[in-house]
């Protein structure tokens, strides 16, 4: 686009921007002749996909702002009406990030103006409460304004349909087409009232439902340290724990209350280095049985356990480890139905399901796929997401997952055992399934495209001395999976291993998911097996980085 075209487009955007803050920001860029910055913001539009929208806050179509959200809401409303949902209810929830309340109110106004009914949750609440509310209230759709665990300057817009699951193709493309058809914001009716602001009835119904994940009369003795990571989880989680009869969690005070600046962490994600430091400091002071963390919108749950072999005495469990623990606990409780996970998660779940005689399915990455598995009883993903009550919440839920893992810790505590002991049992029974991740955050998305191209053009024939026995380009789909941008390698040699490479759907990252399975004959073999697995995973990372040109 020429400079004249750029300025014309920016001025037209400015003229209809309803937000004084972003109007002033854009006007300052225009007045200052910040051509490069303007070009970046007007290079296209934020793309609406199966994760909805997510991006950095700011003025212009390549940023998250009220103008972009109003267009997204108008497109969603048009889609729903085209599907015969005129007059249907749309529930809107939001977290405590910058602009979240504004984006939620704009969405309610647009839905009302379009002839749909809208209901706002009463205040910033966990994403699983919104996912629950859709089914509980019989809504035709739901919107959650959240950027989950992204950096402080980001926000996002997650869309659910009436089954309570996040959108999947072709709904995403159909909604995107309706968004693109919105010409001017002046043509989008936005009344000042007409929607409902809900009370606490839905939240109370959700809390009543959380009891269902626990076994009546089960032990409730495990002591926890909890961090909300500056998000919205604290009040709901502590209420759920109190209802269940667990000891009140010791709170990480500096991270307990919602704060969109996330002042104590570089990234508000329990998986990121340093994010759990304050929680571990609190744990060393009170000596609990486990540490629990939610991400800022409380749909994910992180768990840490005492470990005398690591610096600081506490170790974060991998999502795959928690996924296996919860599966084993549900099997012990007599759960039936299908256990499901995404393809990037550990194959250990399949072994547990097979041994228990329950169904098992793999899906593409994301709970939008896991939640749609027919007969689902339990689903998890390695990125700390667990669905333990699919009839209540068809999405990952960090509150009910925290309840269930604390129940498991309590059961084991009564037996004089720990979560670590149960992980050892699973390794002896099914082999040590060790997982790791190579994650590369980039400024230039071209680096990701180049790495994927290099792997497609020159697929590795071996990694860590293990022969690549199959190399799948997942863009072609498989018998059981629809197409997605990813590569999957199966390796065999002295050990079996698996590698999946894919661009992140929500962050500027290339993600490589690694797993090696080392046989374990007895408990005495665990330590050498873990050492072997570590060596193999390090070597796979090294060889994969070289093959991808990273």
């Amino acid at each position: 686009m020429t400079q004249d075209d750029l300025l014309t487009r920016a001025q037209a955007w400015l003229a209809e921007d309803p937000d004084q803050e972003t109007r002033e920001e854009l006007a300052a860029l225009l007045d200052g002749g910040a051509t490069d910055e303007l070009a970046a913001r007007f290079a296209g539009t934020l793309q609406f996909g199966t994760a909805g929208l997510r991006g950095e806050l700011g003025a212009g179509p390549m940023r998250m702002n009220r103008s972009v959200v109003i267009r997204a809401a108008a497109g969603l409303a048009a889609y729903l009406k085209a599907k015969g949902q005129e007059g249907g209810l749309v529930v809107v929830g939001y977290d405590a990030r910058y602009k979240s309340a504004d984006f939620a109110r704009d969405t309610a106004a647009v839905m009302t103006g379009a002839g749909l009914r809208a209901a706002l949750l009463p205040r910033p609440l966990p994403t699983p409460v919104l996912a629950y509310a859709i089914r509980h209230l019989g809504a035709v759709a739901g919107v959650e304004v959240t950027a989950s665990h992204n950096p402080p300057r980001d926000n996002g817009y997650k869309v659910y349909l009436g089954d309570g699951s996040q959108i999947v193709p072709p709904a995403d493309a159909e909604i995107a087409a309706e968004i693109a058809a919105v010409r001017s914001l002046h043509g989008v009716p936005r009344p000042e009232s007409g929607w409902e602001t809900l009370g606490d009835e839905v939240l109370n119904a959700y809390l009543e439902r959380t009891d269902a994940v626990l076994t009546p009369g089960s032990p409730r003795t495990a002591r926890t340290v909890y961090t909300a990571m500056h998000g919205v989880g604290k009040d709901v989680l502590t209420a759920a724990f109190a209802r269940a009869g667990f000891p009140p969690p010791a709170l990480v005070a500096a991270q307990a209350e919602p704060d969109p600046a996330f002042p104590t962490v570089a990234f508000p994600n329990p998986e990121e280095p340093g994010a759990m430091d304050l929680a571990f400091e609190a744990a060393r002071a009170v000596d609990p049985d486990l540490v629990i963390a939610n991400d800022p919108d409380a749909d994910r749950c992180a768990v840490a356990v005492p470990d005398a072999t690591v610096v600081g005495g506490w170790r974060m469990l991998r999502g795959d480890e928690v996924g296996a623990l919860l599966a084993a606990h549900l099997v012990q409780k007599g759960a039936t139905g299908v256990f499901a996970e995404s393809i990037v998660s550990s194959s250990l779940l399949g072994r547990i399901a097979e041994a228990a005689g329950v169904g098992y399915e793999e899906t593409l990455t994301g709970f939008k796929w896991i939640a749609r598995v027919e007969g689902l009883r339990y689903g998890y993903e390695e990125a700390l997401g667990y669905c333990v009550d699919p009839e209540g919440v068809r999405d990952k839920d960090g509150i009910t997952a925290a309840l269930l893992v604390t129940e498991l810790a309590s059961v084991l505590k009564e037996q004089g055992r720990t979560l670590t002991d149960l992980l050892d049992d699973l390794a002896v029974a099914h082999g040590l399934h060790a997982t790791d991740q190579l994650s590369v955050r980039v400024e230039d998305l071209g680096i990701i495209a180049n790495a994927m191209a290099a792997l497609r053009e020159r697929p590795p024939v071996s990694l860590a001395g293990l022969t690549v026995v199959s190399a799948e380009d997942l863009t072609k789909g498989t018998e059981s999976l629809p197409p997605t941008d990813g590569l999957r390698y199966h390796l065999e040699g002295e050990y079996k291993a698996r590698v999946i490479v894919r661009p992140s759907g929500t962050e500027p990252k290339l993600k490589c998911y690694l797993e090696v399975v080392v046989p374990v004959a007895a408990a005495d073999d665990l330590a050498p097996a873990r050492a072997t697995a570590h060596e193999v995973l390090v070597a796979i990372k090294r060889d994969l980085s070289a093959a991808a040109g990273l």
Side-chain angles (χ1 to χ4, degrees):
M1 131 175 71
T2 67
Q3 186 163 337
D4 285 347
D5 290 340
L6 175 61
L7 295 176
T8 298
R9 192 171 177 210
Q11 286 159 351
W13 186 275
L14 177 63
E16 62 177 26
D17 189 338
D19 189 304
Q20 181 177 345
E21 185 178 336
T22 46
R23 279 200 313 274
E24 291 174 355
E25 180 185 323
L26 185 52
L29 292 173
L30 284 163
D31 292 345
T35 308
D36 289 348
E37 181 64 22
L38 286 168
R41 292 174 183 235
F42 286 85
T45 59
L46 278 184
Q47 291 303 298
F48 187 93
T50 50
L53 294 168
R54 201 176 286 188
E56 185 180 350
L57 292 164
M62 289 294 289
R63 298 288 186 269
M64 281 296 295
N65 50 65
R66 290 183 61 198
S67 296
V68 164
V69 165
I70 290 166
R71 288 173 183 274
L76 174 60
Y79 167 84
L80 292 171
K81 291 166 72 175
K83 296 293 184 183
Q85 304 288 2
E86 180 91 32
L89 175 67
V90 178
V91 190
V92 185
Y94 57 103
D95 66 12
R97 284 177 177 266
Y98 296 118
K99 298 287 184 183
S100 285
D102 293 339
F103 295 167
R105 185 183 183 280
D106 282 332
T107 299
V110 170
M111 295 300 161
T112 303
L116 292 144
R117 294 180 295 126
L120 272 173
L121 291 184
R123 57 186 173 278
L125 287 168
T127 293
V129 177
L130 180 276
Y132 170 81
I134 295 165
R135 289 164 63 82
H136 179 69
L137 297 173
V140 299
V143 171
E144 177 71 14
V145 179
T146 180
S148 189
H149 56 275
N150 274 38
R153 287 298 302 170
D154 285 7
N155 213 328
Y157 198 81
K158 186 182 291 189
V159 176
Y160 298 76
L161 294 182
D163 63 355
S165 301
Q166 297 174 50
I167 55 169
V168 295
D172 56 338
E174 293 171 7
I175 296 169
E178 296 285 5
I179 295 170
V182 178
R183 292 289 170 246
S184 168
L185 292 191
H186 298 311
V188 179
R190 284 185 290 128
E192 290 295 316
S193 61
W195 58 87
E196 179 185 4
T197 299
L198 298 167
D200 279 344
E201 299 83 7
V202 169
L203 174 60
N204 291 336
Y206 168 82
L207 286 169
E208 287 178 21
R209 178 81 200 187
T210 62
D211 297 349
V213 305
L214 304 175
T215 301
S218 64
R220 310 283 167 91
T221 56
R223 296 167 50 252
T224 57
V225 160
Y226 171 71
T227 175
M229 205 68 69
H230 299 296
V232 296
K234 182 202 71 174
D235 290 347
V236 178
L237 182 132
T238 53
F241 269 55
R243 287 179 61 93
F246 288 113
L251 302 179
V252 180
Q255 298 175 334
E257 299 303 327
D259 187 337
F262 302 106
T264 68
V265 290
F267 284 94
N269 178 356
E271 294 178 292
E272 293 284 346
M276 295 289 288
D277 287 356
L278 289 179
F280 294 161
E281 184 179 311
R284 287 190 287 273
V286 302
D287 193 27
D289 298 297
L290 68 165
V291 172
I292 290 172
N294 286 138
D295 66 339
D297 69 326
D299 63 350
R300 298 170 194 247
C301 176
V303 179
V305 294
D307 188 337
T309 69
V310 300
V311 176
W314 283 85
R315 178 174 76 87
M316 266 276 287
L317 296 180
R318 292 190 171 277
D320 285 318
E321 292 177 304
V322 178
L325 287 168
L326 292 177
H329 187 40
L330 288 168
V331 165
Q332 190 65 35
K333 287 156 72 85
T336 59
V338 178
F339 285 20
E341 64 180 340
S342 64
I343 58 172
V344 300
S345 304
S346 171
S347 59
L348 176 56
L349 182 67
R351 306 290 82 74
I352 293 171
E354 182 181 20
V358 301
Y360 169 74
E361 279 197 37
E362 275 189 327
T363 74
L364 292 184
T365 308
F367 268 83
K368 57 185 177 281
W369 299 108
I370 293 170
R372 284 181 160 74
V373 168
E374 191 170 341
L376 180 68
R377 175 57 186 88
Y378 168 63
Y380 98 91
E381 190 158 69
E382 53 72 43
L384 310 183
Y386 314 94
C387 175
V388 300
D389 178 25
E391 289 306 305
V393 176
R394 292 261 173 111
D395 199 4
K396 53 187 177 292
D397 183 346
I399 305 297
T400 50
L403 286 170
L404 196 61
V405 78
T406 307
E407 179 187 55
L408 172 58
S410 300
V411 170
L412 292 168
K413 184 177 182 179
E414 296 295 298
Q415 301 168 357
R417 305 175 74 238
T418 65
L419 296 177
T420 306
D421 293 329
L422 180 53
L423 285 171
D424 288 350
D425 291 349
L426 292 172
V428 172
H430 306 292
L432 176 67
H433 290 63
T435 59
D436 202 354
Q437 191 178 129
L438 171 63
S439 182
V440 182
R441 183 180 290 271
V442 300
E443 296 288 335
D444 177 7
L445 292 176
I447 295 171
I448 294 175
N450 291 340
M452 295 297 288
L455 290 169
R456 285 190 169 105
E457 291 164 12
R458 297 177 299 280
V461 295
S462 70
L463 296 168
L466 303 176
T467 301
V468 176
V469 293
S470 72
E472 298 168 278
D473 187 340
L474 298 176
T475 55
K476 301 169 184 174
T478 71
E479 285 185 9
S480 58
L481 298 171
T484 188
D485 186 8
L487 300 163
R488 178 164 62 179
Y489 307 110
H490 285 98
L491 293 76
E492 290 186 9
E494 191 175 357
Y495 310 104
K496 290 191 175 184
R498 184 216 62 202
V499 174
I500 293 173
V501 184
R502 60 178 284 272
S504 170
T506 56
E507 299 175 272
K509 283 183 175 180
L510 180 68
K511 290 189 166 184
C512 309
Y513 305 85
L514 322 174
E515 179 178 51
V516 60
V517 181
V518 179
V520 178
D524 289 346
D525 300 324
L526 279 167
R530 289 197 171 99
T532 296
H534 175 73
E535 291 172 8
V536 174
L537 289 169
V538 168
I540 291 176
K541 276 189 187 182
R542 178 196 65 221
D543 293 353
L544 186 64
S545 295
L550 296 171

